[in-house]
Amino acid sequence: MLLPLLLQVSVALAEIPALPPEAAMPPGFTDLTAIPGLQFSIGYATPLNFTGAPLPGYAGPGAWLRKEAADSLRGLLQKILPEGWGLIVYDAYRPARASAAMATWARATGHTSWLEDGFIAEHSLHNTGAAIDLSLTLNGRPVDMGGGWDDFGPSAATANAAGDALANRQRLKGWMQEAGWLPYSKEWWHFTYPVPDLPRLDVPYP
């Protein structure tokens, strides 16, 4: 069971800057839901993720990013929306307690290889608000990417697809790079905006 395991993560969070549970979005962040045309499917606020349960810190399906990263997404959308393309966000800023819970779950369920292979990070750039998990839509509907978000394994690597799925992965990667984002070759959906020296945060979504 996930919930008993989460009791083990509190010590690991002691060094992370935190705000009270009722705290709002941190300064310098943007609420992505305010960006017109952006779609959302925040899996970590539901049981529809690899752990099978909502993660700590996701009391609601929020999506925040550092302002400079959010501004780049807004600019990208303005470019691709007129052609029918769009973006759907699966995860953005991630409270540090959620990353710690992922690692705890992986160790307790025999999935330590996902930690070793770089699919799960106990200290994630998502915790800084400068990373995002997302995919493409066409005319408002998700397109074939050759595998799902959060589907860890060989097929998650950007290059491990064929046909339309590979073309869509390369299209997403190219557009994100043009907007200033860095891809992660092991996960076609994951990108990081290069803002140096950002602190990890543990502000929960309300």
Side-chain angles (χ1 to χ4, degrees):
M1 296 292 294
L2 177 64
L3 292 179
L5 297 176
L6 300 183
L7 298 176
Q8 305 172 27
V9 307
S10 58
V11 174
L13 300 177
E15 78 282 5
I16 301 168
L19 294 178
E22 66 274 12
M25 184 173 61
F29 278 64
T30 293
D31 187 341
L32 297 185
T33 63
I35 298 180
L38 201 56
Q39 297 185 54
F40 303 89
S41 180
I42 307 299
Y44 294 138
T46 77
L48 302 179
N49 62 72
F50 67 90
T51 70
L55 288 179
Y58 289 84
W64 304 335
L65 275 185
R66 295 278 174 178
K67 182 181 182 301
E68 50 269 69
D71 287 345
S72 78
L73 283 186
R74 184 182 287 108
L76 175 55
L77 276 171
Q78 290 172 351
K79 170 185 174 182
I80 66 177
L81 281 174
E83 302 175 1
W85 292 96
L87 300 170
I88 182 168
V89 175
Y90 300 122
D91 194 34
Y93 159 74
R94 181 183 304 161
R97 69 188 69 185
S99 294
M102 289 178 178
T104 298
W105 178 92
R107 295 187 182 101
T109 58
H111 289 84
T112 55
S113 63
W114 289 358
L115 287 163
E116 297 161 359
D117 294 340
F119 292 117
I120 297 174
E122 191 161 14
H123 300 147
S124 171
L125 286 172
H126 279 282
N127 307 146
T128 71
I132 195 167
D133 296 341
L134 80 175
S135 186
L136 289 174
T137 63
L138 183 60
N139 299 322
R141 297 187 176 185
V143 301
D144 178 17
M145 301 299 282
W149 158 83
D150 228 8
D151 185 8
F152 303 142
S155 66
T158 304
N160 288 352
D164 289 343
L166 179 59
N168 288 330
R169 291 183 183 193
Q170 295 295 346
R171 182 177 288 111
L172 175 62
K173 176 184 174 183
W175 280 341
M176 291 295 284
Q177 286 180 306
E178 288 176 11
W181 293 79
L182 304 177
Y184 181 47
S185 63
K186 290 186 176 182
E187 296 177 350
W188 60 260
W189 59 83
H190 178 87
F191 296 86
T192 302
Y193 200 77
V195 182
D197 301 323
L198 293 176
R200 294 170 60 230
L201 298 175
D202 189 39
V203 183
Y205 287 107

